[in-house]
């Protein structure tokens, strides 16, 4: 992996996602999709390797039924493969599954990424579309624009043959009976789907805050906070990333969530958007702008009642397919090419004018909008210099990255100013390279505010290995030298500054809503306070749940301490025990083997749900997606034993802190029980990644005894995590990835482990 965090991150994006494509003309899912489906759509294939065989199942049919049984309506599940509901029901029950509770229609619309990921190696695109009940255009959009999901599944689609129903053979049925026996032995009480339904947390966060439940002073609701007030921008714990304003039934910010965010100190919230969805852009017309604007107005009004403003994320202009007719009619707009797409060149004056006017029109249409923050060098191709390759554009080559990037920021600010300047504009320096970042800052408009990732380039040493933090770290305590350097340059110009932090969780571990590492969080906040940095983006999509961690940022920035936070939240008698717990977990977490490659590649989010493989898969780990068995990517710069040992230190530290906390507080409140549950789930994840790493080493060394032992340990971790997720539906969920795993996946992991353990021990049968 490259040492530069931006380069490391873009390594995941450099796969040949446009090298091969499959053209499909699917049956449309609804009337809206029918017009779009009239034209064939190319879906990306990448290298199209052979799919992996989940050999712990009797065959692919059984894996398909198992993985979709609790998620997809059974009539559709059967129809996709030419079966009847009775036939798939018999397959499911024979493997020990129970009658499914299933998802509501709204829940199913929030689970599409979970469904795509679990069927990636099982179904070809046409059957995947039928399973989702989508048109191909919608899937193509999701793979590219839903937080670049195609990257998260590896920049490739395994070439799966169509799956058709066939009656299980006697041998396959016997294996299904073995699976059922394993299920009964490890889950004797049944309830495999869990006691608390998936997505139950949405109703809980949507509900009104109970009287007396406030843990801080009431948020101001008299007016939208003035521009001089500090910004603490939070995110929705369950917003959809792709097009969050189009479906009013899937409200990203119900009032209950807004109030809870305000109560822990947020002063604003933000949304992923595409500018073309909210403003008329000539290269990307959209017929539903007014519909989305109405939803945005409603959100802005409701947020203001809770003392919150609404900010929109700008990442513009979005690239267009190389075959787009837009470029035929406007050749000066065609910018650099990347993987079958071309940038819309911002060196063209009419492109900048359209962006400026679009932002101005949006600000006039929604005048109480709080503002915008932008990334101008992100994973998405936007300007010709956004990925450092503007030298291949005839218009941008002579201008250089600093001039072009700063000009894009000025264009955004001009749009705000043209509408009267009521909104704030924040320029985020993500992706700005050191050799020209300061030049961009010198060129920013006077009305802009500069935001920097606080912990970026912070030097650390873990297990004797020296490296640097890129971003997404709570185990390392910022701010780092890069942010300080950029803030100083901005302040010298009189610009206001902001810090992008992660205070709830990070890709170090995002499968719980927040990590109880409050000492690390409060120390980071105190360091920012000393520098006079009070405006905060509280996290990306992950770590956004209303939590003591967000509350801690407000507490410290406003002059409090970790002790005052604990006493306010938990009362004077429990506070000392809570602080000891937070400090012990924080100390353990500072052993985490951080590297940007580790946090993106290792099975930190999947934990025990990631299968063990009998033989090397040959697949590379995906960016917070499918980790496979790619230990080389998981560990990045750390030797295998050091990587596993550091994770074991973290897991043991959490478990030790948890045991002491439970001994000290024998009658815990609901809030304490919640923190304990998330600490335990995190500890299980860290222990599992260490265990999986040692399992790969044992397998590759031919050490059957060690592999069998690791299989047994993994099965036990999966059973523990299943019990936690069964009673806490937030475990395993993150907004931009949806459910990494479900309770059925953890049951599957036990089946996977027991089969591999039997093979390793030489018995040939599962236990």
């Amino acid at each position: 992996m490259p040492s530069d965090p931006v380069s490391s991150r873009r390594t995941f994006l450099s796969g040949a996602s446009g090298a091969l494509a499959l053209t499909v003309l699917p049956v449309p899912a609804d009337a809206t999709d029918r017009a779009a489906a009239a034209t064939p759509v190319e879906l990306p294939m990448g290298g199209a390797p052979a799919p992996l065989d989940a050999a712990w199942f009797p065959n692919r049919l059984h894996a398909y039924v198992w993985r979709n049984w609790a998620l997809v309506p059974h009539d559709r599940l059967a129809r996709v493969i030419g079966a009847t509901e009775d036939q798939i029901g018999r397959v499911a029950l024979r493997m020990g599954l129970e009658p499914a509770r299933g998802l509501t229609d709204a829940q199913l619309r929030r689970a599409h990424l979970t469904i795509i990921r679990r069927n990636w190696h099982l179904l070809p695109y046409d059957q995947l579309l039928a399973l989702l009940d989508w048109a191909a255009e919608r899937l193509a959009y999701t793979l590219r624009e839903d937080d670049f999901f195609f990257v998260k599944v590896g920049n490739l689609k395994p070439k799966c043959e169509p799956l058709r129903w066939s009656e299980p053979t006697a041998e396959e049925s016997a294996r299904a009976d073995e699976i059922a026996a394993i299920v009964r032995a490890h889950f004797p009480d049944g309830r495999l789907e869990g006691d608390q339904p998936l997505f139950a947390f949405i109703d809980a966060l949507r509900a009104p805050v109970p009287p007396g439940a406030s843990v801080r002073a009431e948020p101001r609701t008299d007016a939208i906070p003035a521009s001089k007030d500090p910004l603490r921008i939070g995110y929705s714990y369950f917003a959809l990333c792709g097009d969050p304003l189009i479906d009013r039934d899937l409200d990203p910010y119900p009032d209950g969530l807004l109030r809870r965010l305000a109560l822990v100190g947020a002063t604003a919230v933000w949304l992923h958007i595409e500018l073309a969805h909210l403003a008329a852009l000539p290269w990307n017309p959209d017929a539903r702008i007014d519909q989305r604007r109405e939803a945005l107005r409603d959100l802005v009004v409701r947020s203001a009642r809770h003392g919150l403003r609404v900010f929109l994320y700008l990442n513009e202009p979005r690239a267009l397919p190389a075959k787009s007719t837009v470029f035929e009619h406007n050749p000066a707009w065609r910018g650099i090419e990347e993987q079958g797409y071309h940038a819309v060149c911002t060196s063209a004056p009419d492109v900048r004018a359209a962006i400026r006017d679009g932002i101005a029109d949006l600000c006039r249409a929604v005048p109480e909008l709080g503002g915008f923050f932008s990334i101008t060098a992100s994973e998405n191709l936007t300007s010709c210099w956004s990925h450092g390759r503007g030298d291949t554009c005839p218009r941008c080559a002579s201008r250089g990255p600093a001039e072009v990037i700063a000009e894009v920021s000025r264009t955004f600010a001009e749009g705000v100013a043209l509408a009267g300047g009521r909104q704030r504009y924040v320029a985020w320096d993500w992706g700005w390279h050191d050799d020209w970042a300061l030049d961009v800052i010198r060129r920013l408009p006077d009305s802009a505010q500069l935001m920097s990732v606080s912990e970026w380039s912070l030097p650390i040493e873990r297990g004797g290995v020296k490296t640097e933090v890129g971003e997404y770290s709570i185990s390392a305590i910022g701010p780092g030298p890069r942010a300080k350097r950029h803030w100083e340059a901005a302040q010298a110009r009189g610009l206001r500054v902001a810090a992008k932090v992660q205070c709830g969780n990070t890709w170090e571990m995002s499968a719980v809503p927040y990590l109880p590492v409050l000492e690390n969080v409060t120390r980071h906040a105190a360091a920012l306070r000393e520098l006079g940095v009070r405006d905060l983006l509280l996290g990306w999509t992950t770590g956004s749940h209303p939590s003591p961690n967000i509350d801690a940022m407000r507490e410290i920035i406003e002059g409090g301490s970790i002790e005052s936070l604990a006493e306010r939240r938990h009362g004077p008698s429990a506070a000392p025990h809570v602080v000891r717990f937070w400090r012990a977990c924080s100390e353990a977490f500072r052993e985490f083997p951080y590297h940007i490659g580790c946090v993106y590649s290792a099975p930190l989010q999947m934990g025990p749900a990631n299968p063990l493989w009998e033989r090397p898969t040959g697949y590379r780990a995906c960016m917070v997606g499918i980790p496979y068995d790619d230990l080389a990517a998981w560990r990045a710069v750390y030797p295998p034993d050091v990587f596993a040992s550091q994770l074991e230190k973290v897991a043991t530290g959490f478990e030790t802190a948890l045991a002491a906390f439970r001994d000290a507080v024998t009658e815990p409140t609901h809030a304490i029980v919640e923190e304990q549950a998330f600490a335990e789930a995190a500890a299980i994840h860290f222990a599992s990644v260490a265990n999986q790493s040692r399992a790969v080493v044992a397998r590759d060394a031919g050490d059957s005894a060690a592999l069998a032992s690791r299989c047994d340990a993994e099965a036990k971790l999966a059973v523990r995590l299943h019990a936690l997720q069964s009673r806490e539906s937030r475990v395993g969920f993150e907004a931009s990835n949806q459910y990494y795993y479900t309770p059925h996946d953890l049951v599957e992991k036990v089946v996977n482990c027991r089969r591999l353990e039997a093979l390793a021990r030489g018995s040939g049968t599962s236990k």
Side-chain angles (χ1 to χ4, degrees):
M1 285 285 186
S3 59
D4 173 24
V6 176
S7 299
S8 297
R9 188 157 172 172
R10 288 188 179 140
T11 297
F12 292 96
L13 300 163
S14 62
S17 60
L20 294 173
L22 177 69
T23 302
V24 293
L25 184 58
V27 177
D30 54 38
T32 303
D33 286 333
R34 283 192 178 91
T39 303
V41 175
E42 288 189 350
L43 294 172
M45 290 296 293
L52 295 178
D53 176 23
W56 46 96
F57 287 110
N59 59 16
R60 184 163 53 121
L61 170 67
H62 286 74
Y64 167 77
V65 171
W66 181 289
R67 292 179 182 173
N68 295 291
W69 181 246
L71 300 178
V72 179
H74 291 174
D75 59 341
R76 192 189 306 170
L77 190 62
R79 187 170 59 251
V80 168
I81 62 170
T84 66
E85 288 186 61
D86 179 67
Q87 287 171 327
I88 64 166
R90 284 190 282 109
V91 168
L93 298 178
R94 186 140 193 177
M95 289 188 290
L97 294 176
E98 301 157 329
R101 178 168 52 220
L103 301 179
T104 67
D105 180 64
Q107 290 170 343
L108 188 61
R109 295 189 338 255
R110 293 185 183 277
H112 57 277
L113 301 181
T114 299
I115 292 169
I116 293 170
R117 193 164 43 234
R118 69 187 42 245
N119 289 283
W120 202 239
H121 284 264
L122 295 178
L123 298 177
Y125 270 135
D126 58 348
Q127 288 187 300
L128 184 57
L129 288 166
L131 190 69
L132 293 164
D133 200 21
W134 281 9
E137 184 181 65
R138 184 173 177 184
L139 180 57
Y141 176 85
T142 295
L143 292 174
R144 181 170 178 83
E145 298 294 349
D146 203 328
D147 205 34
F148 45 89
F149 191 69
F150 193 59
V151 174
K152 294 180 177 180
V153 288
N155 276 317
L156 54 82
K157 174 67 177 80
K159 189 176 182 180
C160 303
E161 295 300 320
L163 178 61
R164 305 297 180 205
W165 167 262
S166 63
E167 194 68 35
T169 65
E171 182 180 0
E172 290 164 350
S173 295
R175 175 57 188 156
D177 292 340
E178 287 184 6
I179 291 173
I182 295 170
V183 171
R184 288 192 298 271
H186 291 82
F187 304 93
D189 296 330
R191 300 201 296 275
L192 302 181
E193 278 191 79
D195 294 325
Q196 189 174 94
L198 298 177
F199 298 106
F201 61 82
I202 294 180
D203 285 340
L205 291 172
R206 182 186 289 130
V209 176
S214 174
V215 293
R216 59 154 289 178
E218 290 293 303
R220 58 180 290 181
T221 57
D222 55 327
I224 295 174
S227 60
K228 65 180 181 180
D229 289 346
L231 275 180
R232 291 187 290 270
I233 311 175
Y235 187 69
S236 169
Y237 182 60
F238 49 78
L240 299 178
C241 286
D243 194 358
L245 293 169
I246 198 63
D247 190 339
R248 298 293 287 272
D249 293 335
L250 302 180
D251 184 1
Y253 286 105
D255 280 294
L257 178 59
L258 290 170
R259 179 160 177 78
R260 286 172 172 84
L261 285 167
L263 286 172
V264 294
T267 63
V269 295
W270 70 274
L271 273 178
H272 276 276
I273 61 116
E274 287 187 50
L275 186 57
H277 287 166
L278 287 166
L281 297 179
W283 53 85
N284 193 7
D286 192 293
R288 293 185 284 182
I289 289 174
D290 289 342
Q291 178 183 342
R292 295 187 187 91
R293 284 186 175 184
E294 184 59 34
L296 180 59
R297 288 189 197 97
D298 175 71
L299 173 58
V300 167
V301 169
R302 289 189 296 105
S303 297
R305 295 182 190 138
H306 301 280
L308 300 168
R309 292 193 289 169
V310 177
F311 277 68
L312 301 178
Y313 165 52
L314 290 175
N315 188 206
E316 302 291 338
R318 298 300 178 97
L320 297 177
K323 298 178 182 178
S324 173
T325 58
V326 167
F327 295 129
E328 295 178 15
H329 300 296
N330 302 275
W333 293 0
R334 188 186 292 273
I336 69 161
E337 187 274 337
E338 185 176 283
Q339 298 182 354
Y341 280 72
H342 279 266
V344 178
C345 182
T346 58
S347 287
D350 44 351
V351 168
R352 297 195 305 277
I355 294 171
R356 179 201 63 207
D357 294 347
I359 290 173
D361 186 56
L362 175 57
C363 291
R364 294 188 194 102
V366 191
E368 301 303 321
L369 182 67
F372 305 87
F373 68 88
S374 68
I375 299 183
T376 45
S378 83
E379 297 92 345
N380 288 321
L381 177 63
T382 53
S383 74
C384 293
W385 274 110
S386 61
H387 287 181
R389 296 177 50 245
D391 54 354
T392 63
C393 172
R395 291 165 296 278
C396 297
S398 63
R399 306 185 65 207
E403 181 179 351
V404 170
I405 294 293
E407 185 176 63
V408 173
S409 293
R410 285 199 305 275
T411 300
F412 297 153
E414 288 167 2
V416 171
L418 192 60
R422 295 185 60 181
Q423 291 77 22
R424 288 169 73 165
Y425 168 60
V426 181
W428 186 356
D429 65 2
W430 198 96
W432 296 359
H433 285 268
D434 287 347
D435 55 354
W436 48 262
L438 293 177
D439 195 11
V440 176
I441 295 170
R442 285 190 287 269
R443 295 167 181 260
L444 288 176
D446 293 340
S447 61
Q449 178 170 359
L450 177 77
M451 182 165 69
S452 192
V453 176
S454 183
E455 67 270 26
W456 203 312
S457 75
L458 187 69
I460 61 170
E461 182 174 345
R462 306 281 166 85
V465 177
K466 294 181 179 181
T467 185
E468 285 188 358
V469 169
E471 56 179 333
Y472 291 118
S473 181
I474 302 178
S475 68
I477 301 167
R482 179 181 186 270
K484 292 178 181 178
R485 185 168 62 248
H486 288 192
W487 290 331
E488 182 179 0
Q491 289 168 328
R493 283 200 49 208
L495 301 183
R496 189 164 175 167
V497 298
K500 184 272 179 183
V501 298
Q502 289 293 141
C503 54
N505 64 28
T506 77
W507 301 127
E508 293 164 316
M509 169 56 182
S510 68
V512 295
Y514 58 88
L515 294 165
V517 290
L518 276 293
E519 183 183 47
N520 291 1
V521 174
T522 54
R523 284 174 57 186
H524 192 168
L528 293 172
R529 182 183 63 195
E530 292 303 309
L531 290 173
V533 180
R534 292 176 173 267
D535 291 348
L536 307 172
L537 181 65
L538 295 166
W540 194 236
T541 61
T542 188
S544 55
H545 191 283
S547 67
N549 302 46
I550 294 177
D551 202 5
M553 299 303 291
R554 181 204 63 85
E555 182 81 10
I556 303 303
I557 291 291
E558 295 185 358
S561 65
I562 191 171
E563 291 81 8
S564 63
L565 175 71
E567 184 166 335
R568 178 166 57 78
R569 292 188 66 89
H570 297 288
S573 61
H577 305 297
V578 171
V579 171
R580 279 194 289 272
F581 173 63
W582 288 345
R583 284 182 168 150
C585 289
S586 298
E587 181 181 9
F589 202 40
R590 292 196 289 272
E591 296 289 348
F592 180 86
Y594 180 92
H595 184 274
I596 197 69
C598 296
V599 299
Y600 284 148
S601 300
L604 293 158
Q605 325 313 327
M606 295 288 287
N610 190 46
L612 297 178
W613 296 91
E614 180 183 355
R615 289 177 291 275
T617 66
Y619 273 80
R620 295 190 62 184
C622 310
M623 183 178 179
V624 296
I626 309 174
Y628 299 110
D629 55 349
D630 188 6
L631 178 57
W634 299 355
R635 62 183 178 81
V637 297
Y638 295 92
D641 183 65
V642 172
F643 179 65
S645 295
Q646 290 302 118
L647 287 165
E648 287 160 352
K649 290 177 185 177
V650 180
T652 300
F654 272 52
E655 296 277 18
T656 302
L658 188 57
F661 193 24
R662 285 172 170 159
D663 287 343
V665 181
T666 56
E667 296 183 2
T669 62
H670 174 77
I672 287 176
V673 169
E674 179 178 283
E675 292 194 32
Q676 291 172 340
F678 297 151
E680 183 177 0
I684 290 170
H685 273 245
F686 297 134
S688 175
V689 179
N691 197 59
Q692 292 179 54
S693 301
R694 296 196 186 280
V696 172
V697 170
R699 180 199 67 188
D700 293 350
D703 189 341
S704 298
L707 177 58
S709 176
R710 295 297 167 186
C711 290
D712 181 59
E714 272 295 282
K716 291 173 180 174
L717 290 171
V719 170
R720 281 184 65 193
L721 190 57
H722 181 276
L724 280 170
Q725 192 182 37
S726 292
R727 62 179 184 265
E728 175 48 82
S729 63
R730 289 171 290 184
V731 171
F733 181 86
E734 190 275 329
S736 66
N737 296 283
Q738 299 169 1
Y739 274 104
Y740 293 116
Y741 55 83
T742 69
H744 275 182
D745 297 327
L746 295 167
V747 180
E748 177 184 337
K749 178 60 174 288
V750 175
V751 174
N752 160 255
C753 288
R754 292 310 181 201
R755 175 186 178 274
L756 186 54
E757 180 186 1
L759 292 172
R761 295 191 190 281
S763 65
T765 59
S766 303
K767 296 192 268 188

